[in-house]
Amino acid sequence: MKTVLFDLMVSQPVAGSKFHGGGEYVKTVFQKLCLDYLSNIRLIVFYDPKRYLDDWIYEIIRKNRIITYEVHDYSEVRKIPEFSDVNVFFAGLMTGLRTLNFPSNTKVIGVYHGFRSLELPIEKTAPLYENTIKGKVKVYTKLLMGRYYYNRKYKDMKGLISKCTYIVGVSEHSGYAAQVFFPDFPMDKIKVYYSPPKYIETVPGIDEIKKEKFVLMLGGNRWGKNIYRGILALDGLFSKRKMDEYNVRIVGGIPRDILRKIKNKDRFISLDYLSTENLEKTYKACDIFFYPTLNEGFGYPPLEAMKYGTTCVISAVNSLPEIYKDSVYYCNPYDISEMQGRLLQAAENKIPEIAISKHVKYIGDKQRKDLENLCKLIADPTGFSNENERGYKNADNTKNNPLLLVRGGRAA
């Protein structure tokens, strides 16, 4: 029976976000292992007792008598008594690998959820999302020092990947991106498994929620989600007396500099943090889900809205066309007029709910199958060669990497 050390710390709040996509991914994998694989593996987990962890996870740990260690940072992980004898270390986010070095007998499985820091290290609208002088200075510095910032991120990511036996991407896009950015990593050690469906507890009264005439957007405080250009598109439509019956609700708030630029302020409602229950109700109630994101490794949010039959307008970038195919309307997230056209189309010509439902089922079936395959890999990672198990040496290839050229804050 193999011993698996599982990092639950990456499922806890990070950078002010109580819930985040990578964390929800980790929780789902943990739940699946506990449901179906405890007879095959000896599972050990660690987390930070000072940070939030879902009650249902505590309950799974208690019910299954899982060996648990409380740590406050990754330096303490090495002090776990079983650390040197662990067969598999699972990192659902690779951040923890930065300060950990593993014995040669440990197989490290690291998940990367995309390469935004390499594909889109910074963007010219980013300063608008900062409400403090310190934050703006930091962003402007990144814009001015694009090449240096990119090179630093590249070396950091290369260092994390060099510690892995297998790396797992969450979409075909991310799988091929790994080959582009890290061509020395063995192709047979790059696995692609779609992000699993999120675990959502039953929401009381969800069936009674009816559709309302509002457009929902997420990530108001994150420049990568591109709400600034999305707001310009919607605000412009309102000024043209289009979509008169609609308002807009933005989860994550509206940064001050962006709010100042809105002409029809009364049509935009700023929502800060929403609990899982309230977010699900908002997904159910919205008439259009608008997601003009600039970069995605997988892209959970449209699926979360589509499970309620909602018509979505989303960016045609990265993994999104692969995941959503013809079940949504696509737009160029840098083109205001194109976004306006797709929003009008979504308002006047809804995608049939049966088509949306069919695609949600298709993706869900693949997600569940891929989750099973990922858990099998964690429980019994086979097919390793004795030579070069860690993939490749962490050499500095930045001088020869053609993707290091950065123009205007975007990787060329």
Side-chain angles (χ1 to χ4, degrees):
M1 181 176 288
K2 289 181 170 58
T3 299
V4 176
L5 183 58
F6 191 103
D7 182 0
L8 269 180
M9 198 149 64
V10 292
S11 74
Q12 297 182 274
V14 61
S17 297
K18 189 174 184 180
F19 302 103
H20 51 97
E24 298 306 301
Y25 175 101
V26 170
K27 295 173 191 176
T28 303
V29 176
F30 170 73
Q31 183 190 44
K32 178 66 174 178
L33 285 173
C34 292
L35 283 174
D36 296 334
Y37 286 85
L38 290 183
S39 61
N40 301 323
I41 62 174
R42 180 183 181 223
L43 185 62
I44 302 172
V45 302
F46 63 88
Y47 62 88
D48 184 348
K50 292 186 176 181
R51 290 191 282 159
Y52 175 83
L53 190 65
D54 301 74
D55 289 339
W56 63 268
I57 293 182
Y58 281 119
E59 180 61 21
I60 287 177
I61 290 172
R62 183 198 62 79
K63 181 179 178 181
N64 294 283
R65 299 180 180 179
I66 293 171
I67 300 171
T68 306
Y69 290 96
E70 296 182 349
V71 302
H72 299 90
D73 57 57
Y74 284 97
S75 66
E76 297 181 13
V77 174
R78 293 190 295 269
K79 299 177 183 178
I80 292 175
E82 296 91 346
F83 184 77
S84 61
D85 297 319
V86 165
N87 300 109
V88 179
F89 182 88
F90 179 71
L93 288 174
M94 290 191 192
T95 52
L97 301 180
R98 192 170 286 113
T99 57
L100 290 175
N101 293 304
F102 300 91
S104 59
N105 60 299
T106 302
K107 315 304 181 187
V108 180
I109 300 173
V111 181
Y112 61 98
H113 298 262
F115 293 116
R116 187 189 64 76
S117 62
L118 304 181
E119 294 171 331
L120 189 69
I122 195 64
E123 209 269 333
K124 67 180 182 180
T125 64
L128 293 172
Y129 294 79
E130 299 293 334
N131 288 327
T132 66
I133 294 177
K134 182 178 179 181
K136 289 183 182 296
V137 169
K138 185 177 180 181
V139 170
Y140 278 119
T141 301
K142 290 180 181 179
L143 284 167
L144 291 170
M145 302 180 68
R147 180 182 292 274
Y148 168 79
Y149 178 67
Y150 178 93
N151 289 353
R152 190 180 69 179
K153 288 293 185 181
Y154 179 82
K155 290 177 182 178
D156 180 58
M157 193 69 195
K158 191 176 180 71
L160 296 177
I161 286 177
S162 71
K163 295 186 178 184
C164 296
T165 315
Y166 276 126
I167 58 174
V168 176
V170 296
S171 63
E172 293 293 343
H173 165 79
S174 62
Y176 286 110
Q179 293 185 45
V180 170
F181 286 111
F182 306 103
D184 295 330
F185 195 90
M187 287 179 57
D188 63 331
K189 301 296 191 292
I190 301 172
K191 301 297 180 182
V192 171
Y193 303 126
Y194 274 18
S195 288
K198 290 183 183 179
Y199 170 70
I200 302 293
E201 294 184 277
T202 302
V203 178
I206 192 72
D207 292 337
E208 283 71 47
I209 301 292
K210 304 298 182 184
K211 291 292 184 187
E212 302 175 32
K213 291 291 186 178
F214 71 87
V215 178
L216 176 64
M217 299 177 70
L218 300 185
N221 59 346
R222 299 168 60 189
W223 61 262
K225 299 308 177 186
N226 198 34
I227 65 118
Y228 171 58
R229 292 187 181 90
I231 285 174
L232 290 182
L234 286 159
D235 197 33
L237 286 174
F238 296 153
S239 293
K240 295 173 184 177
R241 302 302 303 273
K242 301 293 185 181
M243 297 180 69
D244 279 343
E245 67 274 33
Y246 284 84
N247 61 37
V248 184
R249 301 181 191 180
I250 300 176
V251 177
I254 304 175
R256 286 197 299 266
D257 285 355
I258 295 177
L259 184 61
R260 293 189 188 102
K261 296 177 180 291
I262 299 176
K263 296 177 180 178
N264 302 278
K265 289 182 174 58
D266 60 318
R267 305 286 289 276
F268 293 84
I269 300 170
S270 177
L271 303 172
D272 291 325
Y273 165 77
L274 290 182
S275 66
T276 301
E277 179 178 323
N278 286 332
L279 180 59
E280 287 299 307
K281 289 180 178 179
T282 306
Y283 276 132
K284 177 75 182 293
C286 73
D287 190 63
I288 298 171
F289 180 69
F290 184 29
Y291 198 56
T293 179
L294 298 178
N295 187 272
E296 292 293 327
F298 179 81
Y300 268 124
L303 275 177
E304 300 303 298
M306 288 168 62
K307 68 177 181 282
Y308 299 116
T310 304
T311 292
C312 298
V313 177
I314 71 175
S315 300
V317 298
N318 307 114
S319 62
L320 296 182
E322 168 198 338
I323 303 298
Y324 292 97
K325 295 185 168 53
D326 59 355
S327 65
V328 299
Y329 288 122
Y330 292 102
C331 64
N332 178 347
Y334 296 97
D335 188 327
I336 303 300
S337 62
E338 184 175 320
M339 286 191 280
Q340 289 177 333
R342 296 295 80 72
L343 285 163
L344 287 177
Q345 188 174 9
E348 298 176 6
N349 187 16
K350 294 289 185 291
I351 296 173
E353 289 193 19
I354 189 169
I356 295 173
S357 176
K358 182 178 179 180
H359 192 72
V360 169
K361 181 182 184 303
Y362 165 77
I363 291 296
D365 289 345
K366 179 166 176 53
Q367 287 176 301
R368 284 182 282 273
K369 179 181 178 180
D370 282 1
L371 176 59
E372 193 76 54
N373 288 332
L374 173 60
C375 289
K376 288 178 180 177
L377 177 68
I378 295 170
D380 186 21
T382 58
F384 295 91
S385 62
N386 292 326
E387 182 180 359
N388 199 25
E389 276 194 343
R390 285 286 179 256
Y392 64 99
K393 294 181 180 179
N394 188 22
D396 183 2
N397 290 333
T398 57
K399 293 181 180 178
N400 299 318
N401 190 332
L403 293 169
L404 295 187
L405 179 60
V406 176
R407 296 194 184 100
R410 297 179 64 198

PDB file of all heavy atoms in Angstrom, residues 323-336:
ATOM      1  N   ILE A 323     -13.105  23.937 -24.387  1.00  0.00           N
ATOM      2  CA  ILE A 323     -14.022  23.446 -23.355  1.00  0.00           C
ATOM      3  C   ILE A 323     -15.474  23.633 -23.764  1.00  0.00           C
ATOM      4  O   ILE A 323     -16.307  22.733 -23.597  1.00  0.00           O
ATOM      5  CB  ILE A 323     -13.763  24.154 -22.012  1.00  0.00           C
ATOM      6  CG1 ILE A 323     -12.305  23.979 -21.554  1.00  0.00           C
ATOM      7  CG2 ILE A 323     -14.730  23.646 -20.933  1.00  0.00           C
ATOM      8  CD1 ILE A 323     -11.896  22.563 -21.307  1.00  0.00           C
ATOM      9  N   TYR A 324     -15.802  24.813 -24.324  1.00  0.00           N
ATOM     10  CA  TYR A 324     -17.209  25.176 -24.498  1.00  0.00           C
ATOM     11  C   TYR A 324     -17.752  24.977 -25.904  1.00  0.00           C
ATOM     12  O   TYR A 324     -18.966  24.988 -26.105  1.00  0.00           O
ATOM     13  CB  TYR A 324     -17.409  26.622 -24.031  1.00  0.00           C
ATOM     14  CG  TYR A 324     -17.230  26.732 -22.538  1.00  0.00           C
ATOM     15  CD1 TYR A 324     -16.022  27.141 -21.988  1.00  0.00           C
ATOM     16  CD2 TYR A 324     -18.244  26.344 -21.677  1.00  0.00           C
ATOM     17  CE1 TYR A 324     -15.839  27.192 -20.616  1.00  0.00           C
ATOM     18  CE2 TYR A 324     -18.075  26.391 -20.304  1.00  0.00           C
ATOM     19  CZ  TYR A 324     -16.866  26.813 -19.784  1.00  0.00           C
ATOM     20  OH  TYR A 324     -16.692  26.845 -18.418  1.00  0.00           O
ATOM     21  N   LYS A 325     -16.873  24.821 -26.870  1.00  0.00           N
ATOM     22  CA  LYS A 325     -17.281  24.532 -28.250  1.00  0.00           C
ATOM     23  C   LYS A 325     -18.436  25.451 -28.686  1.00  0.00           C
ATOM     24  O   LYS A 325     -18.316  26.669 -28.605  1.00  0.00           O
ATOM     25  CB  LYS A 325     -17.597  23.052 -28.403  1.00  0.00           C
ATOM     26  CG  LYS A 325     -16.341  22.177 -28.205  1.00  0.00           C
ATOM     27  CD  LYS A 325     -16.589  20.728 -28.457  1.00  0.00           C
ATOM     28  CE  LYS A 325     -15.306  19.915 -28.540  1.00  0.00           C
ATOM     29  NZ  LYS A 325     -14.386  20.077 -27.404  1.00  0.00           N
ATOM     30  N   ASP A 326     -19.575  24.897 -29.140  1.00  0.00           N
ATOM     31  CA  ASP A 326     -20.637  25.743 -29.684  1.00  0.00           C
ATOM     32  C   ASP A 326     -21.779  25.969 -28.686  1.00  0.00           C
ATOM     33  O   ASP A 326     -22.899  26.281 -29.084  1.00  0.00           O
ATOM     34  CB  ASP A 326     -21.191  25.136 -30.974  1.00  0.00           C
ATOM     35  CG  ASP A 326     -21.760  23.731 -30.772  1.00  0.00           C
ATOM     36  OD1 ASP A 326     -21.636  23.193 -29.654  1.00  0.00           O
ATOM     37  OD2 ASP A 326     -22.319  23.171 -31.735  1.00  0.00           O
ATOM     38  N   SER A 327     -21.489  25.860 -27.396  1.00  0.00           N
ATOM     39  CA  SER A 327     -22.551  26.010 -26.391  1.00  0.00           C
ATOM     40  C   SER A 327     -22.644  27.423 -25.826  1.00  0.00           C
ATOM     41  O   SER A 327     -23.466  27.688 -24.942  1.00  0.00           O
ATOM     42  CB  SER A 327     -22.315  25.030 -25.233  1.00  0.00           C
ATOM     43  OG  SER A 327     -21.116  25.351 -24.540  1.00  0.00           O
ATOM     44  N   VAL A 328     -21.808  28.346 -26.322  1.00  0.00           N
ATOM     45  CA  VAL A 328     -21.773  29.728 -25.836  1.00  0.00           C
ATOM     46  C   VAL A 328     -21.587  30.662 -27.031  1.00  0.00           C
ATOM     47  O   VAL A 328     -21.307  30.227 -28.142  1.00  0.00           O
ATOM     48  CB  VAL A 328     -20.616  29.947 -24.832  1.00  0.00           C
ATOM     49  CG1 VAL A 328     -20.759  29.056 -23.608  1.00  0.00           C
ATOM     50  CG2 VAL A 328     -19.255  29.716 -25.500  1.00  0.00           C
ATOM     51  N   TYR A 329     -21.724  31.973 -26.765  1.00  0.00           N
ATOM     52  CA  TYR A 329     -21.323  32.982 -27.739  1.00  0.00           C
ATOM     53  C   TYR A 329     -19.909  33.437 -27.388  1.00  0.00           C
ATOM     54  O   TYR A 329     -19.602  33.671 -26.218  1.00  0.00           O
ATOM     55  CB  TYR A 329     -22.262  34.185 -27.702  1.00  0.00           C
ATOM     56  CG  TYR A 329     -23.634  33.919 -28.270  1.00  0.00           C
ATOM     57  CD1 TYR A 329     -24.777  34.112 -27.501  1.00  0.00           C
ATOM     58  CD2 TYR A 329     -23.793  33.495 -29.595  1.00  0.00           C
ATOM     59  CE1 TYR A 329     -26.038  33.880 -28.022  1.00  0.00           C
ATOM     60  CE2 TYR A 329     -25.055  33.249 -30.123  1.00  0.00           C
ATOM     61  CZ  TYR A 329     -26.171  33.447 -29.334  1.00  0.00           C
ATOM     62  OH  TYR A 329     -27.410  33.200 -29.854  1.00  0.00           O
ATOM     63  N   TYR A 330     -19.057  33.584 -28.432  1.00  0.00           N
ATOM     64  CA  TYR A 330     -17.680  33.996 -28.204  1.00  0.00           C
ATOM     65  C   TYR A 330     -17.466  35.448 -28.635  1.00  0.00           C
ATOM     66  O   TYR A 330     -18.154  35.949 -29.532  1.00  0.00           O
ATOM     67  CB  TYR A 330     -16.705  33.105 -28.996  1.00  0.00           C
ATOM     68  CG  TYR A 330     -16.643  31.695 -28.502  1.00  0.00           C
ATOM     69  CD1 TYR A 330     -17.307  30.672 -29.175  1.00  0.00           C
ATOM     70  CD2 TYR A 330     -15.935  31.362 -27.353  1.00  0.00           C
ATOM     71  CE1 TYR A 330     -17.249  29.358 -28.723  1.00  0.00           C
ATOM     72  CE2 TYR A 330     -15.871  30.058 -26.895  1.00  0.00           C
ATOM     73  CZ  TYR A 330     -16.531  29.062 -27.578  1.00  0.00           C
ATOM     74  OH  TYR A 330     -16.474  27.786 -27.114  1.00  0.00           O
ATOM     75  N   CYS A 331     -16.480  36.076 -27.995  1.00  0.00           N
ATOM     76  CA  CYS A 331     -16.128  37.439 -28.365  1.00  0.00           C
ATOM     77  C   CYS A 331     -14.628  37.643 -28.220  1.00  0.00           C
ATOM     78  O   CYS A 331     -13.948  36.903 -27.510  1.00  0.00           O
ATOM     79  CB  CYS A 331     -16.876  38.459 -27.498  1.00  0.00           C
ATOM     80  SG  CYS A 331     -16.437  38.388 -25.744  1.00  0.00           S
ATOM     81  N   ASN A 332     -14.129  38.661 -28.917  1.00  0.00           N
ATOM     82  CA  ASN A 332     -12.757  39.112 -28.750  1.00  0.00           C
ATOM     83  C   ASN A 332     -12.730  40.022 -27.524  1.00  0.00           C
ATOM     84  O   ASN A 332     -13.358  41.084 -27.525  1.00  0.00           O
ATOM     85  CB  ASN A 332     -12.314  39.878 -30.004  1.00  0.00           C
ATOM     86  CG  ASN A 332     -10.904  40.428 -29.900  1.00  0.00           C
ATOM     87  OD1 ASN A 332     -10.308  40.474 -28.824  1.00  0.00           O
ATOM     88  ND2 ASN A 332     -10.367  40.870 -31.021  1.00  0.00           N
ATOM     89  N   PRO A 333     -12.027  39.653 -26.452  1.00  0.00           N
ATOM     90  CA  PRO A 333     -12.090  40.433 -25.207  1.00  0.00           C
ATOM     91  C   PRO A 333     -11.406  41.795 -25.286  1.00  0.00           C
ATOM     92  O   PRO A 333     -11.511  42.584 -24.341  1.00  0.00           O
ATOM     93  CB  PRO A 333     -11.377  39.530 -24.197  1.00  0.00           C
ATOM     94  CG  PRO A 333     -10.416  38.722 -25.013  1.00  0.00           C
ATOM     95  CD  PRO A 333     -11.133  38.486 -26.314  1.00  0.00           C
ATOM     96  N   TYR A 334     -10.733  42.095 -26.411  1.00  0.00           N
ATOM     97  CA  TYR A 334     -10.097  43.396 -26.590  1.00  0.00           C
ATOM     98  C   TYR A 334     -10.916  44.312 -27.504  1.00  0.00           C
ATOM     99  O   TYR A 334     -10.560  45.467 -27.702  1.00  0.00           O
ATOM    100  CB  TYR A 334      -8.692  43.216 -27.185  1.00  0.00           C
ATOM    101  CG  TYR A 334      -7.742  42.463 -26.287  1.00  0.00           C
ATOM    102  CD1 TYR A 334      -7.526  41.098 -26.455  1.00  0.00           C
ATOM    103  CD2 TYR A 334      -7.049  43.111 -25.253  1.00  0.00           C
ATOM    104  CE1 TYR A 334      -6.657  40.392 -25.634  1.00  0.00           C
ATOM    105  CE2 TYR A 334      -6.181  42.411 -24.430  1.00  0.00           C
ATOM    106  CZ  TYR A 334      -5.989  41.061 -24.622  1.00  0.00           C
ATOM    107  OH  TYR A 334      -5.123  40.366 -23.801  1.00  0.00           O
ATOM    108  N   ASP A 335     -11.998  43.773 -28.054  1.00  0.00           N
ATOM    109  CA  ASP A 335     -12.792  44.513 -29.046  1.00  0.00           C
ATOM    110  C   ASP A 335     -14.152  44.883 -28.451  1.00  0.00           C
ATOM    111  O   ASP A 335     -15.036  44.026 -28.306  1.00  0.00           O
ATOM    112  CB  ASP A 335     -12.963  43.646 -30.306  1.00  0.00           C
ATOM    113  CG  ASP A 335     -13.601  44.387 -31.465  1.00  0.00           C
ATOM    114  OD1 ASP A 335     -14.450  45.262 -31.228  1.00  0.00           O
ATOM    115  OD2 ASP A 335     -13.248  44.071 -32.622  1.00  0.00           O
ATOM    116  N   ILE A 336     -14.330  46.150 -28.108  1.00  0.00           N
ATOM    117  CA  ILE A 336     -15.556  46.603 -27.438  1.00  0.00           C
ATOM    118  C   ILE A 336     -16.778  46.388 -28.319  1.00  0.00           C
ATOM    119  O   ILE A 336     -17.818  45.889 -27.865  1.00  0.00           O
ATOM    120  CB  ILE A 336     -15.449  48.097 -27.051  1.00  0.00           C
ATOM    121  CG1 ILE A 336     -14.228  48.342 -26.155  1.00  0.00           C
ATOM    122  CG2 ILE A 336     -16.736  48.556 -26.348  1.00  0.00           C
ATOM    123  CD1 ILE A 336     -14.234  47.575 -24.870  1.00  0.00           C
TER     124      ILE A 336
END
